[in-house]
Amino acid sequence: MGKIFKFGQDVDTDQIIASQYIIYPTIDEMKVHTFESLDSDFAANVQPGDYVVASENFGCGSSREQAPSVLKALGVKAVVAKSFARIFYRNAINIGLPVIVCKELHDNVQTGEEMELFMQEGVVRVNDKEYECTRLPEYMQGILDQGGLIASLNKEEEK
Amino acid sequence: MGETIIEKIVRNNVGRVVHPGDIVTVNVDRVMIHDIFIPFVAAKFEEMGFTKIWDTDKAVLIYDHLVPASQVDDTRHFREGNAFAAKYDMKHVHRSDGICHQLMTEAGYVKPGNIVFGTDSHTTTYGCVGAFSSGIGYTEMASILGTGTLWIRVPETIKIHITGKLPANVMAKDIILKLIGDLGADGATYKALEFTGDTIEQMSVASRMSMSNMAVEAGAKCALFAPDEKTAAYCEMTLTQKERELVGDTDAQYCQVLHYQAEDFVPVMACPSNVDKIKPVSELVGKEIDQVFIGSCTNGRLEDLMAAAEIVRGKHVAPFVKLIVTPASRKIYRQAIENGTMEVLTQAGAIVTHPSCGLCCGRTGGILTDHETVVATNNRNFLGRMGTSKVGIYLASPRTAAACAIAGKIVVPE
């Protein structure tokens, strides 16, 4: 179980991690500024295993991979949104952060509620209610299962 | 059955017919990495255990976001970029020639039918010459540098057909802003855009470029213009039969087709703080402004500077307004000096900066503070992009921006 942190529509990558921080040398130095302009306490309050829930077009804007990386570094277990912007979606899978499309969840939950994700089954559960979510295409699930693109490439080499 | 442009490009690359939704591995023709991400690409490349770049002729490294350095830490990016380029024998490194997307087309790195990836979301720009190009993250870039390949999902295509003659005060920027407003910020997510019609055929490659550049603001994966004689002249080449065939077939399958009449377009602006929050300039008239920015990979080209010069000729920028002009490349800067454009702009009170991303990435060149308002020709007006989160950013065409600089408030250009 993890807590929900709920965000709105068109959350762009500048809002996830602003431009002035993405040139910090390490993700750990950046991560304390995650969602700073939307919720300055987010980085202090989020715990490993918590979830980010958003509406449409999460992660639109720049190609910065730091956006999914800071979320993963803070221990966010998955981002569940109505839809994702393309580059954020690819980046998240490549670094091993699950990104789940669920059309109904956002409108029915609040920040602070407890949630559980069953990725294989394509289901999330909040307040004893279950919501169906889209499963990843096999190819992408494969990359995610192996822990991201680097692990996946290394594994291909072993073959 | 017919094919869209993107389906033809991918078919030529993988050697078999493809359909939207197919996941295929493509051979990459060219990659672009810019200064912000090179340290991260370099670290990932070595973490993946690669020892050489798959083809050193195909990788381009461009310093633009941080040039020249405005903070001491920025220099780390040049140092680590230079070390990586030397270690892996990179052939193409631009250290102060201009903005990455401008240089990729201007210096001839991208040709019709190419498949190109860059570590920047506005990599969609190269669709202006009929190339499939898109933005990716630094981990994937490191992977391409080692393998020369990337998996992609073949996208559906939205066709946008525009016919007729544009009003004199309307630029390509007004068209793409209006389209983003109509589609919404995620209206084209995972999809390709394809532009057709006689209005598009009449358009310069520079104008097409400002449209393909901003396609990502509607979520698009790429935005394609069929290569034609204008493309050939721009790329300084003769189109082969294969390149000439890169047009959408009449019986191709489009997921959506939008028709527009050129005469219906008016000057528009994207209002704070979303690119799809589009209003006609006529509805915003009178709002006082503090600064105007003309530049970026969207609108820092010669025709943009000339359009601005035409508006400000013989006039002067309003007393409390700063007009910042940033040419997209050194070549454009020189051309604008040679043809007198810079003379007109500076006489009118413009502050001309070195070619770079400048104010568009909010690190240098005129950052703003709370409650200030800027009219800008770049591609994003996100919260906090040009200074504090309480800066109001209005995106507009160079013509509109120049007219606002003279008036000191939002006005409709003549």
Side-chain angles (χ1 to χ4, degrees), chain B residues 304-333:
Chain B
D304 300 319
L305 305 187
M306 287 170 70
E310 194 185 310
I311 298 277
V312 305
R313 184 183 294 276
K315 298 179 182 141
H316 202 277
V317 171
F320 295 101
V321 173
K322 289 179 284 296
L323 168 59
I324 293 164
V325 175
T326 305
S329 72
R330 183 191 301 282
K331 184 176 175 187
I332 292 167
Y333 198 164

Side-chain angles (χ1 to χ4, degrees), chain A:
Chain A
M1 298 280 269
K3 275 204 171 54
I4 289 174
F5 287 81
K6 185 173 158 176
F7 294 90
Q9 189 179 332
D10 295 331
V11 173
D12 61 63
T13 54
D14 280 76
Q15 289 169 354
I16 301 171
I17 183 76
S19 299
Q20 61 264 42
Y21 307 123
I22 63 172
I23 68 156
Y24 286 7
T26 66
I27 299 293
D28 281 337
E29 287 164 86
M30 287 173 220
K31 70 182 183 189
V32 296
H33 301 285
T34 305
F35 288 127
E36 199 169 69
S37 67
L38 297 177
D39 173 6
S40 53
D41 297 328
F42 176 82
N45 291 341
V46 71
Q47 297 292 322
D50 286 347
Y51 296 94
V52 167
V53 173
S55 184
E56 281 106 3
N57 205 22
F58 186 82
C60 61
S62 88
S63 68
R64 68 190 63 163
E65 195 169 309
Q66 287 90 339
S69 299
V70 290
L71 293 174
K72 191 180 179 207
L74 288 169
V76 170
K77 197 169 176 190
V79 182
V80 184
K82 289 189 186 179
S83 66
F84 291 90
R86 181 194 145 258
I87 307 177
F88 180 89
Y89 190 76
R90 284 187 81 108
N91 283 342
I93 290 165
N94 284 327
I95 63 143
L97 172 71
V99 275
I100 313 291
V101 174
C102 181
K103 297 289 178 195
E104 299 194 329
L105 186 68
H106 182 266
D107 297 341
N108 291 297
V109 300
Q110 296 305 325
T111 292
E113 290 180 324
E114 295 280 335
M115 168 174 141
E116 202 162 0
L117 167 69
F118 304 92
M119 219 180 344
Q120 304 299 335
E121 293 78 11
V123 168
V124 285
R125 189 186 296 147
V126 184
N127 295 332
D128 294 326
K129 197 171 169 208
E130 291 196 343
Y131 301 87
E132 203 178 320
C133 45
T134 311
R135 268 170 281 181
L136 287 174
E138 201 179 333
Y139 188 93
M140 292 176 231
Q141 186 66 48
I143 295 176
L144 200 55
D145 288 346
Q146 287 163 28
L149 184 62
I150 296 182
S152 153
L153 277 171
N154 289 343
K155 199 164 178 196
E156 259 175 43
E157 238 160 64
E158 285 166 22
K159 279 181 205 162

Side-chain angles (χ1 to χ4, degrees), chain B residues 169 174 266-269 279-289 292 311 315 318 375 394 396-414:
Chain B
N169 62 353
D174 297 299
V266 294
V268 293
M269 283 184 171
K279 285 191 180 160
V281 179
S282 59
E283 288 179 20
L284 300 163
V285 165
K287 172 146 188 72
E288 293 194 2
I289 61 169
V292 169
I311 298 277
K315 298 179 182 141
V375 173
Y394 291 81
S397 78
R399 199 172 278 276
T400 302
C404 295
I406 299 297
K409 56 190 180 188
I410 293 180
V411 291
V412 181
E414 297 280 307

Side-chain angles (χ1 to χ4, degrees), chain B residues 228-243:
Chain B
D228 59 11
E229 288 317 308
K230 288 199 168 79
T231 318
Y234 182 86
C235 295
E236 296 177 355
M237 63 187 285
T238 310
L239 296 180
T240 63
Q241 185 58 28
K242 212 174 189 179
E243 287 155 354

